[in-house]
Amino acid sequence: MWKLTRPDNKHDKLVRDTLLDLEDHHLVRIELVREDQRQVWVLTKRGHGEAKDLLEPKGIRVSALREEKYDPVTGELLGTGYDDHAAAVTSTAAELHRAGIGHRLGFQTEIGHRLGSSFVQRADLVVRAPEAGVPVLLVEVDRRTEDAHDLVQKLRQYWEWGRLLPKDADKRKVDLVRSRPDAIEHVDHEKRLWRRFYPPTGREGLVPVAFVFADTTTAKVDNAVAVLEEAGRRYWVPRRYDSLYEKAITARDYRQAVPVVATTLEQLQEHGAGAAVWRRLGRDSEQTLTDALDNPDGHALYRAQEARADAEDKERRAAQREAERPVCTRCGRKFSDERWEEITMHRTAVRAGDTSVCGPCHADDVARKQAAVEAAAVARAAAAAQAEPDPDDVPEPGGLRGLFRRRP
């Protein structure tokens, strides 16, 4: 506890003195003494009530009251409720807090996530540390008391919970998802149930999950991680992007995947939770927690690769079009876009003239034809003018007719 409440202290004297003072005021009591002589303290009924009055108005959940139960035969206090698993969960929270990942009041234990049925998947620890780059993290602590396939089942349940819609979702959308389960993938995360409980993760994908192994061997940890990677591939593996430039896109789509990291409590205690002790499923090396949760080959890379591929495709198309551009058989110049379109479009091709010449040469042909037409018109006008009689040569009325006038 002293690592969680006083991470800068080198010993637990101050915390022990505080607990003894709270015990004198009947606010806490000793639940049990472990084999290593460490004491497990819990709130009394009075202390639990004061904690609720202090924390719940601030939105901080308080765990259930641990009632004092005694053996009916021996009269001894029964304190087996808090076992080594609970101690490992507390130690994990302490190491995260010591590394600056999460405020001491930003940790919650046994948080339920109700699925569509009556089943509730409870996270051992929920971490909220936005200032450390971890807005939310669901932590499962395993002392290898569970089979590795049970961990895969938990991962599946978190994945299913991340695909649920809230009860007040649009009816048409609900009906569509019920008829086509994959339709949920086209529903934005902002409209899903999990966003009612947790803030945006700041990364692609669903709420991240961390598996912390405690009091076990390296071989067992490696085996559990291998089972998670193989049997849980559907839930954590990113997909390929559906793109027109499939060969040029190496980025992966994490939007429907659960980011999963794993470490051991021993590594957290030895190196610190801020060190490179977290391994992301699908990766070979260990990283810091934020680096392990990041997706360097995700959507940002996809946008860059698609933009680059689109630009290269446009350049290729432009080069190909330029290579196919017609050349004038008369002057050797390449056709302009306007001339090229003019000779290929059906509505203009009939008026394009000689389709083997460029625009300027075609304009020269049109000018020559127009000049010839104008010259012919002028010639016709001149010929017509010459064919008409001169008004001065026309005899006056009565001139010749007077010569042949009949005499009386």
Side-chain angles (χ1 to χ4, degrees):
M1 183 182 292
W2 65 275
K3 289 184 178 180
L4 180 61
T5 57
R6 308 290 296 185
D8 298 330
N9 289 11
K10 296 183 178 180
H11 52 77
D12 62 351
K13 185 177 185 305
L14 180 60
V15 174
R16 284 190 288 107
D17 291 344
T18 302
L19 287 172
L20 291 174
D21 183 62
L22 293 173
E23 184 182 32
D24 291 341
H25 290 79
H26 307 287
L27 298 176
V28 298
R29 63 179 177 83
I30 298 175
E31 172 84 357
L32 61 88
V33 179
R34 301 179 60 194
E35 293 181 358
D36 58 2
Q37 299 305 309
R38 287 188 294 174
Q39 297 172 331
V40 178
W41 294 75
V42 298
L43 293 169
T44 63
K45 185 175 182 180
R46 176 181 174 183
H48 188 269
E50 291 193 11
K52 289 181 65 176
D53 293 340
L54 177 65
L55 299 177
E56 288 192 348
K58 299 179 181 180
I60 301 173
R61 176 178 174 269
V62 180
S63 59
L65 173 66
R66 299 293 300 178
E67 298 181 357
E68 295 184 71
K69 296 182 180 180
Y70 296 89
D71 189 291
V73 178
T74 64
E76 294 181 357
L77 177 66
L78 299 177
T80 59
Y82 284 102
D83 53 10
D84 290 335
H85 178 267
V89 173
T90 303
S91 297
T92 300
E95 295 303 329
L96 289 168
H97 176 58
R98 189 160 65 98
I101 304 174
H103 188 269
R104 63 176 61 92
L105 297 180
F107 298 99
Q108 293 178 305
T109 59
E110 295 298 320
I111 300 300
H113 302 81
R114 186 176 297 278
L115 298 176
S117 60
S118 59
F119 180 80
V120 177
Q121 173 62 47
R122 296 189 178 277
D124 292 331
L125 182 68
V126 175
V127 183
R128 297 172 185 260
E131 68 286 345
V134 187
V136 60
L137 179 67
L138 308 181
V139 181
E140 288 290 336
V141 178
D142 178 35
R143 299 181 61 253
R144 294 305 293 125
T145 56
E146 295 180 273
D147 183 79
H149 290 279
D150 293 336
L151 302 182
V152 175
Q153 178 72 3
K154 287 186 176 182
L155 176 58
R156 181 183 69 82
Q157 288 159 354
Y158 285 126
W159 177 77
E160 290 180 347
W161 185 75
R163 295 166 66 89
L164 294 178
L165 291 172
K167 291 183 178 180
D168 58 352
D170 182 71
K171 185 178 183 303
R172 291 175 298 178
K173 190 172 297 182
V174 172
D175 293 339
L176 178 62
V177 171
R178 285 176 179 174
S179 62
R180 287 177 44 210
D182 61 333
I184 187 65
E185 298 177 2
H186 302 286
V187 178
D188 188 79
H189 287 280
E190 293 295 322
K191 298 180 180 180
R192 299 191 193 182
L193 176 64
W194 73 267
R195 280 292 288 110
R196 301 287 182 90
F197 295 88
Y198 298 123
T201 64
R203 303 172 176 89
E204 307 103 290
L206 303 175
V207 182
V209 176
F211 288 97
V212 178
F213 300 96
D215 304 326
T216 186
T217 64
T218 302
K220 290 183 178 180
V221 172
D222 292 342
N223 176 70
V225 172
V227 172
L228 280 168
E229 286 186 326
E230 183 60 30
R233 289 183 62 83
R234 180 183 180 186
Y235 315 120
W236 65 266
V237 169
R239 306 174 183 179
R240 293 188 63 88
Y241 275 100
D242 184 13
S243 173
L244 295 174
Y245 315 109
E246 184 176 352
K247 294 182 179 180
I249 303 297
T250 61
R252 292 294 180 264
D253 185 357
Y254 289 88
R255 289 175 294 180
Q256 308 304 324
V258 177
V260 182
V261 296
T263 188
T264 65
L265 180 57
E266 289 73 21
Q267 283 183 302
L268 297 180
Q269 293 172 335
E270 180 179 357
H271 304 289
V277 296
W278 303 87
R279 181 190 164 193
R280 174 80 172 261
L281 293 193
R283 300 178 187 175
D284 297 328
S285 60
E286 294 177 332
Q287 302 171 285
T288 62
L289 182 56
T290 52
D291 287 345
L293 293 176
D294 287 340
N295 302 313
D297 58 340
H299 197 63
L301 178 62
Y302 167 71
R303 290 200 303 267
Q305 288 182 335
E306 189 176 48
R308 183 165 56 251
D310 186 61
E312 292 175 353
D313 183 64
K314 289 180 179 178
E315 291 179 2
R316 181 186 61 80
R317 290 175 180 272
Q320 181 179 357
R321 176 177 172 81
E322 197 62 30
E324 297 173 353
R325 185 182 295 274
V327 177
C328 181
T329 58
R330 186 178 302 168
C331 67
R333 288 181 295 187
K334 288 188 175 183
F335 282 29
S336 65
D337 291 340
E338 293 78 8
R339 177 58 177 167
W340 194 0
E341 181 180 356
E342 184 182 22
I343 68 173
T344 53
M345 295 293 290
H346 177 71
R347 59 185 175 83
T348 57
V350 294
R351 301 188 301 273
D354 186 356
T355 59
S356 66
V357 298
C358 63
C361 292
H362 173 62
D364 292 343
D365 290 345
V366 171
R368 282 195 296 269
K369 289 180 180 180
Q370 184 66 27
V373 170
E374 293 177 355
V378 170
R380 286 195 300 271
Q386 292 176 358
E388 292 180 1
D390 190 343
D392 296 335
D393 297 337
V394 176
E396 295 182 1
L400 294 178
R401 293 173 61 184
L403 297 177
F404 300 98
R405 182 177 302 173
R406 180 180 296 180
R407 293 181 180 184

